[in-house]
Amino acid sequence: MSLSSSSGQSSLSGAISFGPPVATPPPFSETLKRLAKTRSVNFSKTLKPLIAHVSTSNPSSTGRSAVGASMVSMPAVKPSMLLDFETSVFKKEKVTLAAHDEYIVKGGRDLFHLLPDAFKGIKQIGVIGWGSQGPAQAQNLRDSLAEAKSDIVVKIGLRKGSRSFAEARAAGFTEESGTLGDIWETVSGSDLVLLLVSDAAQADNYEKVFSHMKPNSTLGLSHGFLLGHLQSLGLDFPKNISVIAVCPKGMGPSDVDGRATDVALGWSVALGSPFTFATTLEQEYKSDIFGERGILLGAVHGIVESLFRRYTENGMSEGLAYKNTVEYITGIISRTISTKGMLAVYNSLSEDGKKEFEVAYSASYYPCMDILYECYDDVANGSEIQSVILAGRHFYENGGLPAFLMGKIDQTRMWKVGERVRSTRPEGDLGPLYPFTAGVFVALMMAQV
Ligand SMILES: NC(=O)c1ccc[n+]([C@@H]2O[C@H](COP(=O)([O-])OP(=O)(O)OC[C@H]3O[C@@H](n4cnc5c(N)ncnc54)[C@H](OP(=O)(O)O)[C@@H]3O)[C@@H](O)[C@H]2O)c1
């Protein structure tokens, strides 16, 4: 994921401007008041209807111009597909979320005794790669299987000359015990291959991986990125292997012997997941990559950088500007949103603060939505995946070009100020609510819904 951070980040930070907005969305408070009049409003549920309302195709109802409305008109939302699954090993439960039924399997140590059944026929699980996922997944699998008294071998497979051999050995995986070895020998000797090398490496090596896998074995992914790449080339996974995924969300899509779902559930339970629910690989990669660009890697960084510049150019001290941007968003606003919801941020402001919030919210909402549309389109049409793959190739000598390593995010003026600020004040200072930053941040979150 780290490979892709730079492209998403720069595209969003460049797009948020504070000039006059092309079309002004309804003020946050007015929209909420109107919603409160027209339906019984539980405010924690108003945030989604707010967006649905903004995107109406009847601009006169909101008093907005047709230009503004058409700029942000939403594509027709397809009814969400029913993601049910069958399991003969685990207990499935129905949960209802936002009026949709979903099925989950709750995890827990008490289910470890079911792992041998879930992994029936599997003698070796090959964990390929030792980045952020490989070490965690391999060690959790090894421990859970040991607790289940299973004799399935968890073996790490690494490329020749990999510096990760030393780290894997330190974690107790060794060549002597048959739990550490060459990447290709591990792929071809495993019944379940967890492909946890970087997404760019998956895109560059998938043919070799497929050709080394045993017929009827199972490929496990932790991201739908490879599917997105194959789709962009008009290709698909081989038909003689099962393909499953266990990500923060996701398992599917193909199953050669009818056992893939239970293997995926076993894998998830063995990793210690508290809940497992079904989605498709395609939904997984689209929502995951878009979400990363829209919030995690791109937008939040773009927002704090641009607000920091705005505040300091308008005379705010650097230290205060850092506090009112980075610390505010990662501190009190995140804590308020995750414990009380987005509306609580607005409600906690003074009357003057609410006005400032609304100015910032109105100026930012449409620019955010505009760039989020671009991010979504780029993910959905494969351009983003392609740019990640190309960026990944810059890290190595390539076609006569020298390697061009990824730059560090913390080299800008804002992060240098942050280093100084953090070293001179006590930890845990959540700071006051700063209304303008709150308005921009909430607008971004709302534009993404
Ligand atoms: N769903 C999630 O929340 C989530 C979170 C994180 C990751 N993931 C997914 O998990 C997978 C692994 O991600 P990660 O972050 O753990 O790993 P990563 O840091 O992206 O990749 C690290 C591993 O890839 C190996 N690698 C890189 N280029 C290679 C090549 N050309 N040939 C062979 N190996 C190569 C590295 O080998 P060396 O050890 O030799 O350097 C290292 O072991 C990805 O699909 C990622 O999207 C999902």
Side-chain angles (χ1 to χ4, degrees):
M1 315 280 225
S2 55
L3 293 179
S4 55
S5 61
S6 54
S7 60
Q9 165 201 317
S10 57
S11 65
L12 220 111
S13 70
I16 294 173
S17 78
F18 296 92
V22 178
T24 316
F28 198 64
S29 59
E30 260 181 36
T31 311
L32 294 177
K33 276 184 218 145
R34 192 168 47 240
L35 283 165
K37 274 192 210 142
T38 53
R39 60 189 90 184
S40 150
V41 180
N42 167 349
F43 274 139
S44 66
K45 290 183 183 159
T46 58
L47 299 172
K48 227 169 178 154
L50 174 67
I51 291 302
H53 187 86
V54 169
S55 67
T56 177
S57 59
N58 176 6
S60 61
S61 66
T62 58
R64 305 296 137 209
S65 72
V67 174
S70 65
M71 264 185 64
V72 295
S73 64
M74 296 231 179
V77 178
K78 282 194 222 145
S80 60
M81 53 196 284
L82 181 66
L83 284 162
D84 195 0
F85 56 89
E86 290 308 319
T87 166
S88 57
V89 177
F90 297 97
K91 196 171 132 239
K92 181 174 84 169
E93 291 173 44
K94 186 166 96 173
V95 290
T96 305
L97 298 167
H100 288 282
D101 289 342
E102 293 203 20
Y103 295 89
I104 60 164
V105 168
K106 279 191 191 154
R109 278 174 190 277
D110 54 320
L111 301 184
F112 286 179
H113 70 281
L114 298 173
L115 293 176
D117 213 7
F119 288 135
K120 204 157 63 191
I122 291 175
K123 294 195 173 64
Q124 177 171 298
I125 300 177
V127 177
I128 312 302
W130 194 261
S132 66
Q133 293 293 305
Q137 294 205 21
Q139 291 174 83
N140 283 4
L141 274 165
R142 184 180 60 184
D143 293 353
S144 305
L145 288 167
E147 203 167 314
K149 303 203 175 1
S150 160
D151 53 13
I152 296 173
V153 173
V154 177
K155 179 171 180 175
I156 311 298
L158 296 172
R159 60 179 158 179
K160 262 193 187 47
S162 169
R163 275 184 292 189
S164 302
F165 272 103
E167 277 189 37
R169 275 185 213 116
F173 295 97
T174 62
E175 289 92 336
E176 300 74 47
S177 63
T179 55
L180 175 63
D182 170 70
I183 178 170
W184 304 117
E185 168 215 294
T186 309
V187 170
S188 55
S190 298
D191 309 290
L192 170 60
V193 176
L194 307 186
L195 190 60
L196 300 176
V197 296
S198 65
D199 292 314
Q202 292 181 28
D204 283 340
N205 292 287
Y206 66 88
E207 282 169 306
K208 200 163 173 191
V209 172
F210 296 160
S211 69
H212 277 75
M213 285 185 67
K214 295 197 252 189
N216 296 324
S217 61
T218 301
L219 174 66
L221 302 169
S222 279
H223 200 288
F225 188 96
L226 183 56
L227 173 71
H229 179 57
L230 294 177
Q231 282 180 335
S232 71
L233 300 173
L235 300 173
D236 201 354
F237 292 105
K239 296 284 174 253
N240 64 344
I241 56 169
S242 293
V243 183
I244 59 175
V246 170
C247 317
K249 40 191 171 11
M251 57 190 184
S254 62
D255 185 354
V256 288
D257 58 4
R259 299 221 61 261
T261 300
D262 280 324
V263 176
L265 288 169
W267 173 15
S268 186
V269 166
L271 293 183
S273 315
F275 300 99
T276 305
F277 63 92
T279 181
T280 65
L281 263 186
E282 185 169 345
Q283 284 180 0
E284 201 284 322
Y285 85 75
K286 286 187 181 163
S287 64
D288 191 80
I289 301 177
F290 171 62
E292 278 174 2
R293 302 306 183 268
I295 293 287
L296 269 182
L297 303 175
V300 177
H301 189 226
I303 278 179
V304 289
E305 284 283 3
S306 64
L307 286 179
F308 178 84
R309 281 173 219 166
R310 175 192 171 91
Y311 295 159
T312 51
E313 277 163 21
N314 286 335
M316 192 181 283
S317 76
E318 289 185 329
L320 190 56
Y322 180 79
K323 185 169 176 154
N324 284 338
T325 54
V326 177
E327 298 213 318
Y328 171 62
I329 285 177
T330 58
I332 191 160
I333 187 169
S334 296
R335 185 167 299 187
T336 305
I337 289 175
S338 54
T339 53
K340 298 183 198 141
M342 264 191 272
L343 192 64
V345 175
Y346 177 77
N347 283 340
S348 66
L349 296 170
S350 67
E351 284 314 303
D352 282 348
K354 281 181 177 151
K355 283 190 192 123
E356 204 179 328
F357 175 104
E358 288 183 9
V359 168
Y361 180 89
S362 300
S364 315
Y365 180 78
Y366 283 118
C368 286
M369 189 175 268
D370 192 13
I371 199 73
L372 287 167
Y373 260 70
E374 193 181 324
C375 289
Y376 187 82
D377 282 344
D378 282 349
V379 172
N381 69 23
S383 311
E384 180 64 28
I385 286 179
Q386 202 50 36
S387 78
V388 171
I389 292 165
L390 292 175
R393 290 182 189 151
H394 298 164
F395 305 149
Y396 310 98
E397 275 185 40
N398 186 5
L401 290 170
F404 184 80
L405 296 180
M406 184 161 21
K408 287 204 168 146
I409 208 169
D410 59 2
Q411 298 305 299
T412 63
R413 181 166 65 103
M414 183 188 74
W415 292 118
K416 297 277 177 211
V417 169
E419 224 175 288
R420 204 175 64 227
V421 171
R422 287 197 306 275
S423 67
T424 55
R425 56 124 186 85
E427 287 269 329
D429 175 6
L430 285 179
L433 275 162
Y434 194 71
F436 199 90
T437 304
V440 175
F441 187 76
V442 173
L444 166 78
M445 305 281 267
M446 295 297 293
Q448 189 167 177
V449 175

